[in-house]
Amino acid sequence: MWIVAPFYFMIAIKLMIDGILRGSGAMAYFVAATVPDLILRIFFAWILSPRFGSTGIWMAWPFGWLVATGLTVGFYRKVVGKRNAV
């Protein structure tokens, strides 16, 4: 909990924006932000677990969340920008 709890606000933001993207029909952007999250969590767990043990696996979650939230916010701005331009 000490590792992932400080980052729950980030996943809350990501989930809210994911709902907006799905609701607006931008499923490709939603998938493009979600799949890298899953892949990065596995990658970072693989990299960090030899050095930190099971703690490294838990450390991988916030790394994936950081990247996924950044992608989601970027895609949200792109979708909202398109809708406002019309």
Side-chain angles (χ1 to χ4, degrees):
M1 287 302 290
W2 291 104
I3 296 169
V4 296
F7 296 94
Y8 272 115
F9 75 93
M10 191 176 346
I11 198 65
I13 292 168
K14 181 191 180 322
L15 291 175
M16 286 188 295
I17 297 174
D18 281 349
I20 294 168
L21 290 174
R22 288 191 313 253
S24 67
M27 288 301 292
Y29 291 122
F30 165 71
V31 172
T34 302
V35 171
D37 174 28
L38 302 173
I39 293 169
L40 285 172
R41 280 192 270 167
I42 293 168
F43 174 75
F44 280 117
W46 181 63
I47 295 295
L48 296 171
S49 63
R51 180 173 176 154
F52 298 105
S54 63
T55 302
I57 296 169
W58 287 106
M59 290 167 59
W61 285 71
F63 286 125
W65 290 347
L66 280 166
V67 172
T69 302
L71 287 171
T72 301
V73 169
F75 292 148
Y76 170 77
R77 288 182 177 172
K78 187 173 183 176
V79 168
V80 169
K82 274 186 191 176
R83 303 232 192 251
N84 288 338
V86 175

